[in-house]
PDB file of all heavy atoms in Angstrom:
ATOM      1  N   SER A 216      59.442 -66.808  22.403  1.00  0.00           N
ATOM      2  CA  SER A 216      58.487 -66.161  21.502  1.00  0.00           C
ATOM      3  C   SER A 216      57.415 -67.155  21.077  1.00  0.00           C
ATOM      4  O   SER A 216      56.236 -66.822  21.000  1.00  0.00           O
ATOM      5  CB  SER A 216      59.198 -65.601  20.278  1.00  0.00           C
ATOM      6  OG  SER A 216      60.168 -64.663  20.674  1.00  0.00           O
ATOM      7  N   GLU A 220      53.379 -66.957  21.708  1.00  0.00           N
ATOM      8  CA  GLU A 220      52.382 -67.128  20.641  1.00  0.00           C
ATOM      9  C   GLU A 220      51.337 -68.156  21.056  1.00  0.00           C
ATOM     10  O   GLU A 220      50.129 -67.964  20.866  1.00  0.00           O
ATOM     11  CB  GLU A 220      53.061 -67.603  19.346  1.00  0.00           C
ATOM     12  CG  GLU A 220      53.934 -66.556  18.688  1.00  0.00           C
ATOM     13  CD  GLU A 220      54.800 -67.107  17.550  1.00  0.00           C
ATOM     14  OE1 GLU A 220      54.588 -68.257  17.135  1.00  0.00           O
ATOM     15  OE2 GLU A 220      55.676 -66.384  17.093  1.00  0.00           O
ATOM     16  N   ARG A 226      44.510 -68.404  24.807  1.00  0.00           N
ATOM     17  CA  ARG A 226      43.544 -67.456  25.374  1.00  0.00           C
ATOM     18  C   ARG A 226      42.441 -67.126  24.369  1.00  0.00           C
ATOM     19  O   ARG A 226      41.255 -67.088  24.716  1.00  0.00           O
ATOM     20  CB  ARG A 226      44.250 -66.177  25.844  1.00  0.00           C
ATOM     21  CG  ARG A 226      43.327 -65.215  26.559  1.00  0.00           C
ATOM     22  CD  ARG A 226      44.089 -64.174  27.355  1.00  0.00           C
ATOM     23  NE  ARG A 226      45.099 -63.481  26.577  1.00  0.00           N
ATOM     24  CZ  ARG A 226      44.834 -62.535  25.687  1.00  0.00           C
ATOM     25  NH1 ARG A 226      43.586 -62.167  25.452  1.00  0.00           N
ATOM     26  NH2 ARG A 226      45.812 -61.948  25.028  1.00  0.00           N
ATOM     27  N   THR A 313      36.428 -72.431   3.460  1.00  0.00           N
ATOM     28  CA  THR A 313      36.731 -72.471   4.886  1.00  0.00           C
ATOM     29  C   THR A 313      36.421 -71.133   5.566  1.00  0.00           C
ATOM     30  O   THR A 313      35.907 -71.101   6.685  1.00  0.00           O
ATOM     31  CB  THR A 313      38.212 -72.842   5.098  1.00  0.00           C
ATOM     32  OG1 THR A 313      38.444 -74.099   4.449  1.00  0.00           O
ATOM     33  CG2 THR A 313      38.543 -72.980   6.568  1.00  0.00           C
ATOM     34  N   ASP A 315      34.168 -69.019   4.963  1.00  0.00           N
ATOM     35  CA  ASP A 315      32.732 -68.894   5.230  1.00  0.00           C
ATOM     36  C   ASP A 315      32.312 -69.777   6.393  1.00  0.00           C
ATOM     37  O   ASP A 315      31.512 -69.380   7.241  1.00  0.00           O
ATOM     38  CB  ASP A 315      31.916 -69.308   3.989  1.00  0.00           C
ATOM     39  CG  ASP A 315      31.963 -68.248   2.910  1.00  0.00           C
ATOM     40  OD1 ASP A 315      32.690 -67.255   3.099  1.00  0.00           O
ATOM     41  OD2 ASP A 315      31.278 -68.415   1.883  1.00  0.00           O
TER      42      ASP A 315
ATOM     43  N   PHE B  16      50.243 -59.039  26.417  1.00  0.00           N
ATOM     44  CA  PHE B  16      49.428 -59.061  25.197  1.00  0.00           C
ATOM     45  C   PHE B  16      47.925 -59.058  25.490  1.00  0.00           C
ATOM     46  O   PHE B  16      47.135 -59.608  24.732  1.00  0.00           O
ATOM     47  CB  PHE B  16      49.792 -60.266  24.305  1.00  0.00           C
ATOM     48  CG  PHE B  16      51.256 -60.358  24.012  1.00  0.00           C
ATOM     49  CD1 PHE B  16      52.002 -61.416  24.494  1.00  0.00           C
ATOM     50  CD2 PHE B  16      51.886 -59.373  23.275  1.00  0.00           C
ATOM     51  CE1 PHE B  16      53.369 -61.489  24.238  1.00  0.00           C
ATOM     52  CE2 PHE B  16      53.245 -59.447  23.016  1.00  0.00           C
ATOM     53  CZ  PHE B  16      53.983 -60.505  23.501  1.00  0.00           C
ATOM     54  N   LEU B  19      45.072 -58.020  22.959  1.00  0.00           N
ATOM     55  CA  LEU B  19      44.511 -58.870  21.905  1.00  0.00           C
ATOM     56  C   LEU B  19      43.309 -59.627  22.461  1.00  0.00           C
ATOM     57  O   LEU B  19      43.465 -60.580  23.215  1.00  0.00           O
ATOM     58  CB  LEU B  19      45.562 -59.859  21.394  1.00  0.00           C
ATOM     59  CG  LEU B  19      46.726 -59.263  20.612  1.00  0.00           C
ATOM     60  CD1 LEU B  19      47.666 -60.358  20.150  1.00  0.00           C
ATOM     61  CD2 LEU B  19      46.238 -58.465  19.418  1.00  0.00           C
ATOM     62  N   ARG B  36      31.441 -60.083  -3.520  1.00  0.00           N
ATOM     63  CA  ARG B  36      31.515 -61.470  -3.959  1.00  0.00           C
ATOM     64  C   ARG B  36      31.123 -61.620  -5.430  1.00  0.00           C
ATOM     65  O   ARG B  36      31.742 -62.382  -6.169  1.00  0.00           O
ATOM     66  CB  ARG B  36      30.560 -62.292  -3.106  1.00  0.00           C
ATOM     67  CG  ARG B  36      31.195 -63.513  -2.587  1.00  0.00           C
ATOM     68  CD  ARG B  36      30.339 -64.113  -1.532  1.00  0.00           C
ATOM     69  NE  ARG B  36      31.108 -64.124  -0.316  1.00  0.00           N
ATOM     70  CZ  ARG B  36      30.998 -65.071   0.605  1.00  0.00           C
ATOM     71  NH1 ARG B  36      30.107 -66.036   0.446  1.00  0.00           N
ATOM     72  NH2 ARG B  36      31.739 -65.029   1.678  1.00  0.00           N
ATOM     73  N   ASP B 278      40.581 -75.629   0.712  1.00  0.00           N
ATOM     74  CA  ASP B 278      39.209 -75.772   0.192  1.00  0.00           C
ATOM     75  C   ASP B 278      39.152 -76.787  -0.955  1.00  0.00           C
ATOM     76  O   ASP B 278      38.201 -77.572  -1.051  1.00  0.00           O
ATOM     77  CB  ASP B 278      38.666 -74.410  -0.254  1.00  0.00           C
ATOM     78  CG  ASP B 278      38.413 -73.493   0.945  1.00  0.00           C
ATOM     79  OD1 ASP B 278      38.451 -73.990   2.081  1.00  0.00           O
ATOM     80  OD2 ASP B 278      38.185 -72.284   0.738  1.00  0.00           O
ATOM     81  N   ASP B 334      53.961 -64.684  12.677  1.00  0.00           N
ATOM     82  CA  ASP B 334      54.798 -65.870  12.845  1.00  0.00           C
ATOM     83  C   ASP B 334      53.934 -67.117  13.001  1.00  0.00           C
ATOM     84  O   ASP B 334      54.169 -68.151  12.377  1.00  0.00           O
ATOM     85  CB  ASP B 334      55.724 -65.700  14.051  1.00  0.00           C
ATOM     86  CG  ASP B 334      56.716 -66.846  14.167  1.00  0.00           C
ATOM     87  OD1 ASP B 334      57.150 -67.355  13.126  1.00  0.00           O
ATOM     88  OD2 ASP B 334      57.041 -67.235  15.295  1.00  0.00           O
ATOM     89  N   ARG B 388      60.546 -63.298  15.667  1.00  0.00           N
ATOM     90  CA  ARG B 388      60.647 -63.818  17.039  1.00  0.00           C
ATOM     91  C   ARG B 388      61.548 -62.930  17.887  1.00  0.00           C
ATOM     92  O   ARG B 388      61.342 -62.814  19.098  1.00  0.00           O
ATOM     93  CB  ARG B 388      61.131 -65.270  17.015  1.00  0.00           C
ATOM     94  CG  ARG B 388      60.051 -66.180  16.468  1.00  0.00           C
ATOM     95  CD  ARG B 388      60.427 -67.647  16.520  1.00  0.00           C
ATOM     96  NE  ARG B 388      59.349 -68.432  15.915  1.00  0.00           N
ATOM     97  CZ  ARG B 388      59.414 -69.728  15.650  1.00  0.00           C
ATOM     98  NH1 ARG B 388      60.491 -70.408  15.960  1.00  0.00           N
ATOM     99  NH2 ARG B 388      58.384 -70.351  15.113  1.00  0.00           N
TER     100      ARG B 388
END
Side-chain angles (χ1 to χ4, degrees):
Chain A
S216 301
E220 290 170 10
R226 185 163 52 76
T313 303
D315 285 5
Chain B
F16 307 114
L19 291 181
R36 228 167 241 213
D278 291 349
D334 186 35
R388 289 185 183 172

